[in-house]
Amino acid sequence: MEARDERLEPASSFALRSFRLEPQTWREFLSEEEKQLLFASFFTCPDSLHLFICRDAESQLSVSLTFPTNISSKVICVSKTGREAVTKETAKKALIIQEVQGDDALSFMSAITEQVICPLLSNPENSHGWVAGVAEEALRFMERQKNEAQVMKAQVDGRTFLPQPDALHDDRRHDNSIQGERKLLDVKLVHACESTVIEWAELVSEFLQQDSSQPLLDGLKPPPTEEFHFWKNRLKNLQFIQQQLMSSRAQQVASILQTADSVYCCTLTDIYRHIQEGLEEAEDVTQNLRPLQEKLEDVEQLEYQQSREFLRGKEVMRGLAVDPGPVLDDVRLVILTLQTLKEAYSLCRTQLDQDQDQGGLSHRWDFPSHLVFFHLDNFLKRLQGIEEVHCVSLQLYQLDQTALSGVSGRMWSDVVQDVYQDFLCHVAVLSDCGCDATDPDDQSFQLHLDQFQVQVWDLERRLVSVLSRALQDCCASSSAAKLLQMFRFILDRPLIQEQLRPHLNQLLEVVLTELDQTWLLVCSQREKADTFCRFTPRPAAVLCWTQQLQMRAQEALKNYKALQHLCVDLGEVQVVLQRFQQVVDLLQDFRDTVMSNWSFQLDSDSGFILEQPLIQHNQQGILGVTFSQKLEALQRELRYVSRETDVDLHPYAARLFTCRDDVTQIYLSLSHMVSSYNQVVSGVLQVELPLIQDQLQDLDQSLLALQRNTWSSEGVQQLVEQQRQKVSMFCTTVNEARANMDTMTHIIQGWAELHLLQRSGDSLLEGRATEQSYRRLREEGQELFRLTQENQSLYRAQDSSHAWSRYLDHIDDKVQDGLFQLLLRSLHFLSDNMNPQTCSAALLAVSLQLQDTGTVFEPSVGSGLSDLMKTIISDVYTAASLLPRISVSRHGNYQVSLQQSPDLSALEQEVMHRLLEVREEAERLRSELDRYSYLWQSDRRDVMQEFLTYSRQLGPEELEPEEAPPTLKDFKREIDSLHRLYTEVTHLDDVIVLHGWLQVNLQPFRDSLLSVIQDWSHMYTQHLLDSVSDSLQQVTQRGDDDDEEPSSCSFSPTETILLLEAAGVELPEHLSAQLQC
């Protein structure tokens, strides 16, 4: 169970509110495995009806299934409304949660009242300021509360508490009162003591009148333990009452009554005497019952716990609707145990009678046994009825697994399911009858049993109707046997067995009919020469067919034997056995004829095969094994013969059968040899044939020996093995050379996946061809050269051989074609990625930078990119020079040959043309950005001096302008202009792609230009800061705090500072300090 079990939600909410817990504390409490098991047991076990949650002495949460002891605080009681398991859907309705006080709460209340509250109230110093009578009334109230608590505590513990008179406290409180009040108190005290004695007499009399036989008088059947508990509790209660009567309070009551000469002194004396007599009686009875109790406890320790746990009234029948198996086992165990007890009782009584006869005793045991076992016999009879109900239920529960087949199978299955559903309804009614099934005196349950038996008979009649119709529909004994096997669990029922007997007799006729059909089938087929099986020799197929017919007859007999225990006519059994034996004899005769004919045919075919040559050429000139198909068919028939032990073989067939394994091995060797030979000859290349011509002629000469020898020749196996080795060596050599050729072809084809040029991580082209591609070409070139050398060794070819030279030229053409495709694909890669219509991303990248001389591209879009592209193309061609030349008749490496290819040259020219186009576009971009050239070409000092003189920048046409010093508005105009220009430059693109493949990085240019603009802006703001500093310096020297008229070379500090703040310029610390002063 998990901590988030939804079944715990009601209890969790109640506990959090009641104990004022933190949610984390409650979750930690639920996460303990021991607590989880306890909660799971409470929710699922039907015997666990209550769950108690409390705080222990250490203020820790605890949970138990029994009421906690020694708990003085509150306890949360979670109770189930029924014995059913609690689910998350029924948790809120099935649980009742409430708070109760711990069993020590009453003791705690009494102790607090007696030891704390009463002494405080009885002390006059604590109540001298109270209104008269309040303290006395409060003391009497607390005394009554203490007495009521002690009475309740005693009742809970099964004890009798003798309450004390309240006036004893009044007597202690008024020891020093005046004489008149003292007399009044004495009268009240005597009256209170007399009333207490009367109450004591009633309590003691009520307790002493209790009798252990009262449950029997009430019609109950208490076990012996009830008697033991009664006297044990009686003794403890008498001792408790005696302790109260001997207490100081009780002695004080007796003293007061004696002093007052009260008539209730005799009553008190009688109470003492009755308690003493009852105590002596209880001690005597308890002492005499102890040995008997020990014996009974020993008996209870035997294996009777399960029986006592089982026999719980309604629980006996509740298991009927779920799983009657375990309950049935328990009931049978109880019945067996009780019957064993009766048998042991009878045996002991018989043995006792025999011992008395031998001892000559005249007094015999004449106690009637039926009185002893009257209730037990009724109980056993009731248990046997319960056993019968559970047995029937266990059988009928299996109806749920039945499913009838056939044309009407669905209909009959539905009827059976209807019977099953009706049975479930009857079981549900019986299991929920609410009667005590184990009580023999409960006649209402017997009525339910009788009604259930009538209902079961009705269900059995309905099942018999279904089975009868289903058996009538069975056209074969196997179907009937399967049907009866399916319903075997109810066939032992007397009603069903009796009504099915006529239909079982009809099944006997079905079995005889099946045997007759087998007889007729054998008779009709034995004269026919039809092929019984396309893929099996006819004799073997006939033998297999006869074996299947015999199994069919045996199956019919087996089906009959499955029904035999339900039949009573032994004559019918003999008829079936005789008919079966006739069929078996007919089949055996047919088998003997077939095996005899098969033996002659095998001998004829074997003689023909043994005289045939081993191999020969067919009409197409292909080498093959002679009569291979006929030989395979004969070998297959011999394999079938090996399975039939009754076939007698003639000489030729016996000879071939004896050496069939050797013949099979020779045939396989010859087949493999001629297959390898034909494969080599048929797959020879035109350039390869001159290399193997001599070896092939020698091999043909040696194979002539196999064409002259037959299967019956001596030493055939050794001859075949020798020729097989020669052919195998030749074929292996040629196949290895061809495998090397295939490997070389695969290597060359693998270059289609090789990329000499590829993009880097930022999707741009790497500067050179990849060294990994170069390394692969070198390694594969060496591998190609090695394979050609290995083939030369395999073919045993000479370097000067013309045939070998043609073979090398053949390989060289393949290598050159593969390299051509590799270079062509690489140049196509450049051309496609430099075409604005086909390129998908930038191929090369340059950056525009601002230097002292102006804007420049890095690398240069002129010679720089041209040199880079020429280097890339050169690297592509260099890849062809990495492989050694295979041909010995051709000069120069592959690069020289491929550079003369017009297709490659055309692609190279196209790439260089794309480069010229993008160069022009890059120059136009640089020209557009030269509009900012005045920023880095102008001298800032000259411009600033001109601005301070004329408040603006002069044009080239102004030769003698009028001097006009700038105002703050002029400074603001220049600063705002630079700010707009800064914003404009900031929005320039980081990257521009030209022609779709040349990526131009403008960020270096933009950053440098922004720095220049900031220098221009700083020039104006610094002048203003200097002006403010000069003004403040002058003010400080004159000691004037207000703003005076500025000098001819300065502005108002306030306006200047506002302008600087608007421009985002922060004042230096020394200026801020001067302004604050």
Side-chain angles (χ1 to χ4, degrees):
M1 184 184 70
E2 299 180 355
R4 295 295 299 172
D5 191 341
E6 296 183 8
R7 295 178 295 181
L8 275 174
E9 289 300 328
S12 299
S13 302
F14 195 93
L16 290 174
R17 293 194 307 269
S18 179
F19 292 127
R20 298 181 181 179
L21 298 173
E22 294 292 335
Q24 181 63 26
T25 304
W26 179 252
R27 285 194 295 269
E28 292 176 356
F29 170 71
L30 294 180
S31 63
E32 299 179 10
E33 182 178 1
E34 181 181 356
K35 306 299 187 304
Q36 294 179 3
L37 294 175
L38 200 60
F39 281 115
S41 175
F42 169 69
F43 285 130
T44 58
C45 182
D47 294 335
S48 302
L49 299 178
H50 303 285
L51 182 75
F52 303 95
I53 307 173
C54 63
R55 290 184 181 272
D56 55 18
E58 299 179 357
S59 298
Q60 298 295 325
L61 289 176
S62 64
V63 61
S64 64
L65 297 177
T66 58
F67 196 88
T69 58
N70 301 324
I71 298 297
S72 58
S73 59
K74 58 186 175 183
V75 179
I76 296 178
C77 178
V78 184
S79 302
K80 293 194 294 189
T81 58
R83 307 182 69 88
E84 295 79 8
V86 179
T87 62
K88 62 181 181 180
E89 291 81 7
T90 62
K92 294 183 178 181
K93 297 181 179 180
L95 297 179
I96 299 176
I97 308 173
Q98 57 184 344
E99 283 186 5
V100 297
Q101 292 295 328
D103 58 352
D104 284 351
L106 298 175
S107 300
F108 177 76
M109 183 185 301
S110 300
I112 290 297
T113 302
E114 183 176 1
Q115 300 178 14
V116 179
I117 299 178
C118 289
L120 289 175
L121 293 176
S122 61
N123 189 353
E125 296 180 359
N126 296 328
S127 58
H128 66 277
W130 294 7
V131 179
V134 173
E136 291 81 356
E137 184 62 26
L139 183 61
R140 282 191 296 271
F141 175 76
M142 294 310 300
E143 283 288 343
R144 287 194 299 272
Q145 291 293 324
K146 183 190 72 172
N147 286 337
E148 291 178 1
Q150 289 177 343
V151 169
M152 293 176 61
K153 180 65 169 60
Q155 290 177 353
V156 172
D157 296 339
R159 309 288 179 84
T160 301
F161 177 75
L162 303 180
Q164 304 295 327
D166 300 339
L168 291 179
H169 291 283
D170 295 340
D171 182 64
R172 291 195 304 268
R173 181 175 176 87
H174 297 279
D175 285 342
N176 299 325
S177 61
I178 60 178
Q179 186 67 25
E181 293 178 354
R182 180 65 182 178
K183 290 181 180 180
L184 180 61
L185 288 175
D186 289 343
V187 173
K188 291 182 178 180
L189 182 60
V190 172
H191 178 70
C193 291
E194 289 176 347
S195 300
T196 299
V197 170
I198 294 173
E199 186 176 1
W200 288 359
E202 292 176 353
L203 292 174
V204 170
S205 175
E206 181 181 357
F207 170 68
L208 292 177
Q209 290 177 1
Q210 294 178 2
D211 192 355
S212 62
S213 61
Q214 188 61 40
L216 294 174
L217 300 177
D218 295 339
L220 302 178
K221 299 176 182 178
T225 54
E226 292 293 331
E227 185 75 12
F228 303 145
H229 292 162
F230 174 83
W231 287 106
K232 181 179 179 181
N233 295 334
R234 186 181 182 90
L235 178 60
K236 290 182 179 180
N237 198 16
L238 287 170
Q239 292 173 348
F240 178 67
I241 295 174
Q242 188 182 42
Q243 291 176 1
Q244 296 179 81
L245 292 175
M246 301 305 295
S247 65
S248 59
R249 292 288 185 88
Q251 294 299 322
Q252 186 179 359
V253 171
S255 176
I256 292 173
L257 294 178
Q258 289 177 358
T259 303
D261 194 17
S262 173
V263 295
Y264 289 98
C265 287
C266 297
T267 303
L268 184 59
T269 302
D270 293 339
I271 292 174
Y272 278 104
R273 178 170 52 79
H274 293 159
I275 291 299
Q276 185 62 33
E277 293 175 354
L279 186 61
E280 293 176 356
E281 178 190 14
E283 290 176 348
D284 182 65
V285 173
T286 303
Q287 183 177 2
N288 287 279
L289 287 178
R290 188 174 293 112
L292 180 59
Q293 183 179 3
E294 294 176 356
K295 293 294 184 181
L296 287 177
E297 288 177 353
D298 293 339
V299 173
E300 289 179 353
Q301 295 302 320
L302 298 177
E303 296 297 331
Y304 290 101
Q305 291 84 354
Q306 184 178 8
S307 301
R308 293 201 311 273
E309 181 181 356
F310 166 74
L311 299 177
R312 288 187 179 179
K314 298 180 181 180
E315 293 183 4
V316 177
M317 303 310 296
R318 284 180 180 174
L320 191 65
V322 182
D323 184 9
V327 179
L328 179 60
D329 295 339
D330 293 339
V331 171
R332 286 174 173 172
L333 178 61
V334 174
I335 293 175
L336 177 61
T337 303
L338 297 179
Q339 288 177 346
T340 304
L341 174 63
K342 289 185 63 176
E343 292 174 358
Y345 172 84
S346 300
L347 181 62
C348 291
R349 178 171 181 176
T350 303
Q351 185 66 34
L352 183 60
D353 291 341
Q354 294 176 357
D355 294 342
Q356 290 177 347
D357 293 339
Q358 294 176 1
L361 298 177
S362 58
H363 183 69
R364 303 177 61 85
W365 186 0
D366 55 357
F367 187 81
S369 299
H370 69 277
L371 296 180
V372 178
F373 295 109
F374 176 75
H375 292 290
L376 182 62
D377 291 338
N378 292 336
F379 183 64
L380 276 174
K381 183 178 179 181
R382 175 58 59 85
L383 287 182
Q384 290 169 352
I386 296 174
E387 179 187 14
E388 175 64 19
V389 169
H390 283 79
C391 286
V392 174
S393 300
L394 196 62
Q395 292 173 343
L396 295 182
Y397 266 120
Q398 301 181 52
L399 292 175
D400 188 35
Q401 305 297 326
T402 58
L404 282 75
S405 59
V407 178
S408 304
R410 180 63 180 271
M411 179 182 66
W412 300 131
S413 297
D414 293 340
V415 175
V416 172
Q417 290 302 313
D418 292 340
V419 172
Y420 176 70
Q421 295 300 326
D422 292 344
F423 160 71
L424 293 181
C425 296
H426 300 330
V427 166
V429 172
L430 183 60
S431 61
D432 297 335
C433 63
C435 303
D436 187 357
T438 59
D439 185 6
D441 298 333
D442 189 354
Q443 295 301 320
S444 60
F445 179 75
Q446 187 61 42
L447 296 177
H448 285 287
L449 283 182
D450 296 341
Q451 182 182 2
F452 182 75
Q453 186 62 45
V454 173
Q455 294 168 347
V456 168
W457 289 340
D458 178 66
L459 296 178
E460 289 179 351
R461 282 189 289 269
R462 293 166 62 184
L463 287 176
V464 167
S465 176
V466 172
L467 289 176
S468 301
R469 298 294 301 274
L471 287 174
Q472 291 177 2
D473 294 340
C474 291
C475 58
S477 61
S478 58
S479 301
K482 291 179 181 179
L483 178 63
L484 295 178
Q485 180 67 17
M486 185 184 303
F487 289 92
R488 65 188 182 280
F489 50 87
I490 59 172
L491 293 181
D492 59 344
R493 302 291 297 174
L495 177 62
I496 295 178
Q497 190 172 11
E498 180 181 356
Q499 296 189 12
L500 281 182
R501 186 166 288 111
H503 301 281
L504 297 178
N505 294 332
Q506 295 178 3
L507 290 179
L508 174 63
E509 299 298 329
V510 174
V511 173
L512 293 175
T513 301
E514 290 179 353
L515 292 176
D516 292 340
Q517 290 175 351
T518 305
W519 173 279
L520 295 175
L521 187 60
V522 174
C523 294
S524 62
Q525 294 293 331
R526 64 183 300 179
E527 302 300 332
K528 294 182 180 181
D530 307 83
T531 301
F532 281 79
C533 181
R534 176 182 296 181
F535 305 104
T536 306
R538 181 184 181 281
V542 171
L543 294 178
C544 180
W545 177 72
T546 56
Q547 186 177 6
Q548 292 176 355
L549 289 179
Q550 185 172 354
M551 293 174 59
R552 179 176 174 180
Q554 292 174 349
E555 183 68 19
L557 181 62
K558 178 182 177 182
N559 295 334
Y560 176 74
K561 289 183 176 180
L563 315 176
Q564 184 177 351
H565 67 284
L566 302 176
C567 303
V568 295
D569 191 351
L570 297 179
E572 297 175 351
V573 177
Q574 294 300 324
V575 172
V576 173
L577 293 178
Q578 291 176 3
R579 188 69 54 85
F580 171 75
Q581 190 61 41
Q582 292 174 359
V583 173
V584 171
D585 293 341
L586 179 62
L587 288 172
Q588 186 62 40
D589 181 62
F590 187 31
R591 286 174 59 86
D592 293 341
T593 303
V594 171
M595 286 188 291
S596 177
N597 296 334
W598 192 17
S599 178
F600 284 106
Q601 183 63 36
L602 287 176
D603 189 68
S604 176
D605 294 342
S606 298
F608 175 77
I609 288 296
L610 290 175
E611 298 301 326
Q612 298 300 318
L614 296 176
I615 60 174
Q616 62 183 8
H617 287 87
N618 59 14
Q619 296 178 356
Q620 291 79 21
I622 302 299
L623 191 65
V625 181
T626 307
F627 292 101
S628 59
Q629 295 182 356
K630 189 174 185 62
L631 178 61
E632 289 179 359
L634 183 59
Q635 288 289 91
R636 185 165 58 252
E637 290 190 33
L638 291 176
R639 284 198 300 272
Y640 281 103
V641 169
S642 64
R643 303 172 188 173
E644 299 291 341
T645 58
D646 298 336
V647 179
D648 294 332
L649 297 178
H650 295 283
Y652 288 116
R655 178 182 176 185
L656 193 59
F657 180 80
T658 304
C659 58
R660 68 183 184 280
D661 294 337
D662 294 338
V663 172
T664 301
Q665 184 64 35
I666 294 173
Y667 174 74
L668 293 177
S669 298
L670 289 174
S671 298
H672 181 266
M673 181 184 67
V674 298
S675 175
S676 301
Y677 176 85
N678 293 332
Q679 182 181 5
V680 169
V681 173
S682 62
V684 66
L685 299 176
Q686 186 176 3
V687 295
E688 181 187 23
L689 183 58
L691 297 175
I692 62 173
Q693 186 68 42
D694 296 339
Q695 301 181 44
L696 191 59
Q697 291 177 357
D698 295 340
L699 188 60
D700 290 339
Q701 290 295 327
S702 61
L703 290 178
L704 292 176
L706 295 178
Q707 300 179 25
R708 292 191 295 266
N709 285 272
T710 64
W711 290 95
S712 60
S713 301
E714 297 292 335
V716 171
Q717 190 169 5
Q718 291 79 6
L719 178 61
V720 170
E721 181 63 23
Q722 292 175 2
Q723 297 302 321
R724 188 195 65 80
Q725 292 179 1
K726 291 181 181 181
V727 174
S728 177
M729 291 177 60
F730 171 73
C731 293
T732 300
T733 300
V734 176
N735 288 332
E736 286 182 3
R738 291 180 180 177
N740 290 340
M741 176 62 77
D742 293 340
T743 302
M744 288 187 283
T745 303
H746 180 72
I747 291 174
I748 295 171
Q749 292 174 351
W751 294 343
E753 301 176 358
L754 185 62
H755 300 283
L756 294 177
L757 301 177
Q758 61 183 11
R759 296 179 180 273
S760 59
D762 53 358
S763 299
L764 298 177
L765 181 66
E766 294 184 352
R768 300 177 60 88
T770 60
E771 182 60 31
Q772 182 179 2
S773 301
Y774 281 177
R775 182 169 61 253
R776 176 178 171 181
L777 287 173
R778 291 190 190 96
E779 294 175 354
E780 292 181 349
Q782 295 297 327
E783 181 66 15
L784 291 174
F785 186 77
R786 186 190 66 80
L787 291 174
T788 56
Q789 295 298 320
E790 184 177 341
N791 279 7
Q792 182 180 5
S793 175
L794 292 172
Y795 288 132
R796 302 174 186 175
Q798 300 295 328
D799 294 338
S800 58
S801 171
H802 178 69
W804 177 245
S805 178
R806 289 182 57 195
Y807 186 78
L808 292 179
D809 292 343
H810 174 74
I811 299 175
D812 188 82
D813 292 338
K814 287 188 173 184
V815 174
Q816 183 167 329
D817 183 67
L819 291 175
F820 171 78
Q821 296 297 330
L822 175 62
L823 270 59
L824 184 66
R825 191 174 64 257
S826 300
L827 292 178
H828 267 301
F829 173 81
L830 288 177
S831 177
D832 294 342
N833 283 276
M834 294 174 69
N835 189 344
Q837 284 74 30
T838 59
C839 62
S840 58
L843 183 66
L844 298 176
V846 297
S847 64
L848 182 64
Q849 299 183 1
L850 180 61
Q851 298 181 357
D852 296 338
T853 58
T855 56
V856 294
F857 285 101
E858 182 64 33
S860 174
V861 294
S863 59
L865 282 181
S866 179
D867 294 342
L868 176 61
M869 190 57 63
K870 289 179 180 179
T871 301
I872 293 173
I873 295 175
S874 176
D875 291 342
V876 170
Y877 278 106
T878 302
S881 66
L882 300 177
L883 285 78
R885 194 77 189 225
I886 301 297
S887 176
V888 295
S889 61
R890 299 171 184 174
H891 302 287
N893 57 26
Y894 294 108
Q895 180 180 358
V896 176
S897 301
L898 292 175
Q899 284 178 340
Q900 301 174 3
S901 171
D903 294 337
L904 298 180
S905 299
L907 283 174
E908 182 180 355
Q909 294 300 323
E910 183 180 351
V911 169
M912 299 308 296
H913 177 70
R914 302 289 184 192
L915 190 61
L916 291 176
E917 291 178 349
V918 81
R919 180 190 303 173
E920 297 175 357
E921 184 68 20
E923 290 299 334
R924 283 195 294 271
L925 174 63
R926 183 168 62 178
S927 299
E928 292 178 0
L929 295 177
D930 283 345
R931 66 180 181 271
Y932 301 109
S933 61
Y934 69 91
L935 292 173
W936 64 77
Q937 292 177 355
S938 300
D939 189 344
R940 287 193 296 273
R941 293 182 180 180
D942 296 341
V943 172
M944 186 62 185
Q945 186 61 40
E946 185 177 291
F947 175 76
L948 293 177
T949 303
Y950 303 105
S951 70
R952 57 189 174 86
Q953 295 184 14
L954 299 178
E957 71 279 358
E958 297 181 272
L959 299 178
E960 295 181 359
E962 182 181 356
E963 295 184 2
T967 64
L968 287 178
K969 291 183 179 181
D970 296 329
F971 276 95
K972 184 176 184 301
R973 183 189 69 241
E974 295 297 329
I975 293 173
D976 292 343
S977 176
L978 290 171
H979 178 71
R980 289 192 298 272
L981 187 60
Y982 186 89
T983 304
E984 178 184 344
V985 174
T986 303
H987 287 85
L988 290 178
D989 294 332
D990 292 341
V991 175
I992 296 178
V993 180
L994 303 180
H995 275 236
W997 62 270
L998 181 61
Q999 176 179 300
V1000 180
N1001 186 6
L1002 296 180
Q1003 188 172 359
F1005 167 78
R1006 186 186 62 187
D1007 294 344
S1008 299
L1009 184 57
L1010 291 176
S1011 178
V1012 171
I1013 295 173
Q1014 287 180 345
D1015 292 341
W1016 280 93
S1017 179
H1018 179 72
M1019 179 180 68
Y1020 291 104
T1021 57
Q1022 185 62 40
H1023 182 81
L1024 293 177
L1025 285 174
D1026 294 341
S1027 175
V1028 172
S1029 179
D1030 293 342
S1031 299
L1032 292 177
Q1033 186 69 25
Q1034 294 176 8
V1035 171
T1036 303
Q1037 291 176 357
R1038 292 196 306 267
D1040 193 357
D1041 294 335
D1042 57 354
D1043 293 338
E1044 299 292 341
E1045 287 295 327
S1047 63
S1048 60
C1049 59
S1050 62
F1051 305 104
S1052 172
T1054 302
E1055 295 179 358
T1056 304
I1057 291 172
L1058 292 176
L1059 177 58
L1060 291 173
E1061 290 179 350
V1065 179
E1066 294 184 1
L1067 295 179
E1069 294 182 359
H1070 67 281
L1071 292 181
S1072 300
Q1074 291 179 2
L1075 288 174
Q1076 293 178 359
C1077 295

